[in-house]
Amino acid sequence: MWAFIHKLGSPKWFYGISARLMPWFWAAATLLILAGTIWGLAFAPADYQQGNSFRIIYVHVPAAFLAQSIFVGMASAGLVFMVWKIKVADMAAAVMAPLGAAMTFVALFSGGVWGIPTWGTWWIWDARLTSMLILLFLYVGVIALRGAFASRDSGSRAASVLAMVGVINIPIIKYSVDWWYTLHQPASFTITSRPTMPLEMWAPLLMMVLGFYCFFIALTLMRTRNEILRRESGKRWVQALAEESV
Amino acid sequence: MAFESLSDFLAMGGHAPYVWTAWGLTAALLVGSVLHARAERRQLLRELKRRARRERQAPRNTDIEEGA
Amino acid sequence: MSSSDTLDQPLTVVEPRGGLGVALVATLRRDLTLMLRRRSEVMNPLVFFALVITLFPLGLSPDPRLLATVAPGLLWVAALLATLLSLDSLFRADFEDGSLEQLLLAPQPLAAMVLAKVVVHWLLTGLPLALMAPVLGLMLGLPAGSHLILMLALALGSASLSLVGAIGAALTVGLARGGVLLSLLVLPLYIPVLIFGAGAVQAALLGDGVGAHLAILGALLALAVMLSPWAIAAALRISVNG
């Protein structure tokens, strides 16, 4: 077990294994997202209440799932980095943050655009949208904190601590915002509280969600490899690698 | 198939602006992040190669350059 | 210093041997004394609080009915910002004169020591804010029945604010321009306290039961007391060594 963890911690080993894993995740992501897109955009039936604007769900929900999962992933990587001093974990955490922020933005933007035909306004202080906005601020904080330190190691450790503090707080924030919303609930209906969604509607959604997760894994692997090249550029194996890839 | 024709599909039953902006931004971000990662990788490899070439020419200066 | 126990020889310098308790009391007394010498730093957040509350009737409307409905939120947001304002100096002076490093080197657990520092911060920021709030509430037309609840909620909530804010202060103490970053890090984490704190006052205003709100504020505080000292300690280690 320990040997395995430390092997995983070696950038060289990670660089090798990720090269073998990455194509599979790229392939899965491309297939799932393409199939989900075609099915969801062209073949799934229109919603009886919202018409075709409901097709935004196929980007909104996967992005929202991913936005929350990436924060958890980032905090877990931070924990691994703090406990076992595994550098690769910190590199992964560093590349996850911008993607997570981007996904949060996608979820907010698509939610806002969806709101125009549904609620008649692009922004309401809906519990889900508000939590997403706060999540975006948390991401921005982690990214800004990492960048604020002159020494990379301090920045990494500070960002790890903040990500862990954030991940403990996210459920509390979500709970309190939900509570606040039920107290001040305006007259509107929620998007996903429909009990029965026919198979033709949720199957493409499932494909999109899985596809987004595969995309996230593949992109994180790819950018972590870049980060290895950047941070380990003094190592002999990295230099040898650069020479053979003409 | 939920639509009769291509123009029907593009019109999205009157919801075209909403559906296509949301999907467009998402697609742009996904494709953009892949392109960015690829460009990043190519640039890093180029820098590594340049550095290797420099060090072959002046192998004694490696220690000084490491500090940068 | 274990040899001094067994040999029992007189030492020229008597080391305090009480351990954690003595160290905690010493830190509390030292920080209180230091802060009370810098009166302006203690007063500033309070003046800020009063000033911000003064701005709202000028910006909104002097109508007492309107002000009373928004007063819980205004008072809480202003108190939140006032706390935030005071956070930057929480570890700053100790960091600059090196006593923070001494604290890190002390044999006592750092998490307990920072808890003492946070308690001092709350005693000189959160508690005065809570005591002052009813006066401002009166000016905003808050009915008399809700003043006690406002005070209680602020006293409970501001303790959580001090604890959570100290994490941010510890993370940014080593940075030259940490002020804006500090607010970016800390404000999102303040949201639950804001919601339940303002909710308590709102409930009192409407004549509902406030027990649930105060209980949740207490639960948040309990959670913060348990977890944040460790985060503050870890953050201080990063800031001082980095």
Side-chain angles (χ1 to χ4, degrees), chain C residues 219-232:
Chain C
L220 289 177
L221 176 59
L223 203 64
V225 167
M226 272 196 305
L227 297 178
S228 55
W230 309 103
I232 300 167

Side-chain angles (χ1 to χ4, degrees), chain A residues 15 42 55 223 226 230 245, chain B residues 2 12 23 37 40-41 49:
Chain A
Y15 197 87
R55 291 178 205 282
R223 292 209 59 214
N226 290 351
R230 195 193 324 265
S245 72
Chain B
M12 276 288 153
W23 276 80
E40 190 186 28
R41 175 175 171 78
K49 250 177 274 178

Side-chain angles (χ1 to χ4, degrees), chain C:
Chain C
M1 283 299 124
S2 60
S3 60
S4 65
D5 294 326
T6 48
L7 293 177
D8 203 28
Q9 60 185 14
L11 289 163
T12 43
V13 180
V14 181
E15 299 249 343
R17 286 197 300 160
L20 190 56
V22 172
L24 282 179
V25 173
T27 313
L28 271 172
R29 281 179 56 186
R30 169 186 175 275
D31 277 22
L32 265 175
T33 317
L34 275 178
M35 281 304 279
L36 286 175
R37 283 201 190 133
R38 285 173 292 169
R39 292 247 170 75
S40 70
E41 235 166 85
V42 179
M43 290 306 292
N44 278 348
L46 300 178
V47 176
F48 176 84
F49 186 40
L51 201 61
V52 170
I53 291 299
T54 314
L55 291 182
F56 278 112
L58 296 173
L60 284 169
S61 128
D63 176 20
R65 266 169 311 158
L66 171 71
L67 286 178
T69 51
V70 290
L74 294 190
L75 285 163
W76 262 94
V77 171
L80 213 90
L81 295 176
T83 314
L84 190 68
L85 192 72
S86 67
L87 279 177
D88 195 45
S89 61
L90 179 53
F91 297 115
R92 178 77 59 195
D94 284 353
F95 178 75
E96 277 163 3
D97 68 14
S99 42
L100 203 56
E101 241 162 300
Q102 297 294 320
L103 196 70
L104 258 63
L105 292 172
Q108 283 79 21
L110 183 58
M113 306 299 279
V114 295
L115 195 58
K117 290 182 98 60
V118 174
V119 167
V120 172
H121 178 260
W122 177 75
L123 279 176
L124 295 180
T125 315
L127 198 57
L129 282 177
L131 294 176
M132 200 177 137
V135 180
L136 296 171
L138 209 64
M139 288 162 70
L140 290 178
L142 217 55
S146 54
H147 287 176
L148 190 67
I149 302 301
L150 173 67
M151 211 152 72
L152 257 174
L154 258 178
L156 261 177
S158 62
S160 308
L161 297 186
S162 289
L163 281 162
V164 173
I167 303 174
L171 281 171
T172 53
V173 71
L175 303 171
R177 303 198 148 271
V180 183
L181 186 59
L182 175 62
S183 47
L184 178 62
L185 304 187
V186 165
L187 280 179
L189 304 178
Y190 275 1
I191 287 166
V193 178
L194 170 69
I195 289 175
F196 288 107
V201 185
Q202 200 94 53
L205 212 60
L206 298 172
D208 295 348
V210 293
H213 297 83
L214 293 180
I216 290 176
L217 279 178
L220 289 177
L221 176 59
L223 203 64
V225 167
M226 272 196 305
L227 297 178
S228 55
W230 309 103
I232 300 167
L236 281 179
R237 289 224 161 79
I238 294 164
S239 287
V240 170
N241 298 337

Side-chain angles (χ1 to χ4, degrees), chain A residues 36-44 55 58, chain B residues 2-3 9 12 19-20 23:
Chain A
T37 300
I38 294 169
W39 194 351
L41 270 182
F43 289 91
R55 291 178 205 282
Y58 297 120
Chain B
F3 298 97
F9 172 65
M12 276 288 153
V19 175
W20 295 120
W23 276 80

